[in-house]
Structure formats: C-alpha cells, structure tokens
Amino acid sequence: IRSIRQDTDRLNSYVRELLDFSQVESGNIRLNLVITPVDELVDYALKALKAQIQEKQLNIDLQYPAEQVLIKADPEKTVWVLTNILVNAIRYSPSDGTIFIKVSKGKDEVVISVKDQGMGIPKEYQKHIFEKFVKVDSDTQRGTGLGLAISREFLQAQNGRIWLESELGAGTTFTIAMSAS
C-alpha cells in the first residue's frame, strides 16, 4: 500500500507540474500580486516539507533580517518556487546535513538564497539548468526536469529573477530576487 501511495503521489506531482508548465507555455500565467511578508512564504514552504526534512534529519539554518521584509508577489507562485528549490536542496543534501536559507533586503529588492551541501552541479549543466526537461546526467532521482523552468517563468512573470552558483563537491546555492515593497 505504501508503494502504491508513493507512486500515486509521484504521478500527481508530475501532473501538477505539467499543468503548471502548460500555463507557462500558453503565456497565461495568472498572478495575484499582494504585499506579503517574506518570512511567511519561507515558513509556509518549510512547513510543507517538514516530513522530508525530518526523514533525512536535515538542519535548517535560517537567517532573516531584524526588520520584517515585504515583497509584492503572488504568494502561491512564490511558495511554489521556494518549495521547488527546497525539494531539490533536500534531495541532494546528505543526511544530517544543513540547508542554509538567507533572506536579505537591498535598496530595491529582496534576495532569498537556499544553499545545500550536496554534490554540486557540473559546469556544463549550469547554463541549461533552467531550461525545460533538463536534468543533470548523474541525477538518479526521479523528476520531470520542469521544476526549475517553471520557477524561472513564475519569477519572471513577477519581475523577479533566479540564478545559481555551484561547485562540484561543495553544494549549490539557488538565489531568487524580487522587488521589495
């Protein structure tokens, strides 16, 4: 029963990703932009992944600025992006490792970075990682290769951006930047 449930959950996840991607492909991304506290979005994404974090016995090193940080964003789409990035960080982090999440506020933008302690992404894949159906060759994990492509589109629709820094053997940092409010 557990195996059937896992297969069903995985298939549901694929269908949701394909539906999200069809929304992106059609250019019909509907946004509900509101002023939102960033900590609420990050906390919501972390709560949704609590079981996976506990299963791998991961530590979360979370850094927020002293003052509350607000962004003008679509909360649902932004949490989707954060969740996707965190799922990847969980997937590639070693058990008992740490995922570092840092929120910082600049003059005009808010930056959220998620760093894992995984294997890193080879340079030849880094420039293509945000394209649809791209998966790292050594990736034995399941997935559609759509998550980061959808994330980029969701952020661009909100005038945001996403990038990565990665070094083999030293992990990967995904960073998103969005307009401060």
Side-chain angles (χ1 to χ4, degrees), residues 32-44:
N32 176 29
L33 298 176
V34 296
I35 309 260
T36 308
V38 173
D39 62 327
E40 288 180 14
L41 300 176
V42 173
D43 290 346
Y44 188 87

Side-chain angles (χ1 to χ4, degrees), residues 8-87:
T8 302
D9 290 345
R10 190 178 71 253
L11 288 172
N12 281 334
S13 175
Y14 290 163
V15 169
R16 281 191 304 275
E17 275 193 355
L18 289 170
L19 289 171
D20 287 334
F21 191 71
S22 69
Q23 186 182 79
V24 167
E25 285 280 288
S26 71
N28 192 22
I29 299 175
R30 291 181 217 101
L31 297 175
N32 176 29
L33 298 176
V34 296
I35 309 260
T36 308
V38 173
D39 62 327
E40 288 180 14
L41 300 176
V42 173
D43 290 346
Y44 188 87
L46 285 169
K47 283 179 187 166
L49 299 170
K50 184 178 180 179
Q52 292 176 37
I53 292 166
Q54 289 176 339
E55 184 177 318
K56 283 192 83 172
Q57 299 176 336
L58 295 170
N59 301 300
I60 302 296
D61 183 328
L62 186 55
Q63 298 177 21
Y64 290 120
E67 76 280 354
Q68 187 177 52
V69 178
L70 302 173
I71 58 173
K72 186 172 185 178
D74 181 309
E76 182 179 316
K77 304 264 186 302
T78 305
V79 167
W80 192 98
V81 170
L82 289 169
T83 302
N84 184 68
I85 293 169
L86 286 165
V87 163

Side-chain angles (χ1 to χ4, degrees), residues 19-167:
L19 289 171
D20 287 334
F21 191 71
S22 69
Q23 186 182 79
V24 167
E25 285 280 288
S26 71
N28 192 22
I29 299 175
R30 291 181 217 101
L31 297 175
N32 176 29
L33 298 176
V34 296
I35 309 260
T36 308
V38 173
D39 62 327
E40 288 180 14
L41 300 176
V42 173
D43 290 346
Y44 188 87
L46 285 169
K47 283 179 187 166
L49 299 170
K50 184 178 180 179
Q52 292 176 37
I53 292 166
Q54 289 176 339
E55 184 177 318
K56 283 192 83 172
Q57 299 176 336
L58 295 170
N59 301 300
I60 302 296
D61 183 328
L62 186 55
Q63 298 177 21
Y64 290 120
E67 76 280 354
Q68 187 177 52
V69 178
L70 302 173
I71 58 173
K72 186 172 185 178
D74 181 309
E76 182 179 316
K77 304 264 186 302
T78 305
V79 167
W80 192 98
V81 170
L82 289 169
T83 302
N84 184 68
I85 293 169
L86 286 165
V87 163
N88 286 336
I90 293 165
R91 180 181 295 157
Y92 296 108
S93 291
S95 293
D96 294 320
T98 300
I99 296 173
F100 301 89
I101 304 168
K102 182 178 181 182
V103 176
S104 56
K105 184 175 188 272
K107 182 180 174 188
D108 297 323
E109 68 181 3
V110 173
V111 175
I112 307 167
S113 62
V114 177
K115 180 178 182 2
D116 65 44
Q117 295 178 315
M119 64 188 169
I121 299 170
K123 286 223 182 281
E124 64 266 20
Y125 291 98
Q126 290 181 23
K127 62 185 173 204
H128 300 291
I129 202 77
F130 295 105
E131 296 173 8
K132 58 185 172 185
F133 303 115
V134 170
K135 292 176 65 174
V136 177
D137 202 27
S138 62
D139 185 1
T140 58
Q141 303 289 334
R142 297 179 178 177
T144 61
L146 290 174
L148 292 172
I150 295 168
S151 294
R152 182 188 64 192
E153 295 297 326
F154 280 174
L155 287 168
Q156 287 177 345
Q158 299 177 76
N159 296 315
R161 53 198 171 97
I162 184 170
W163 66 92
L164 74 104
E165 296 169 24
S166 187
E167 183 180 332

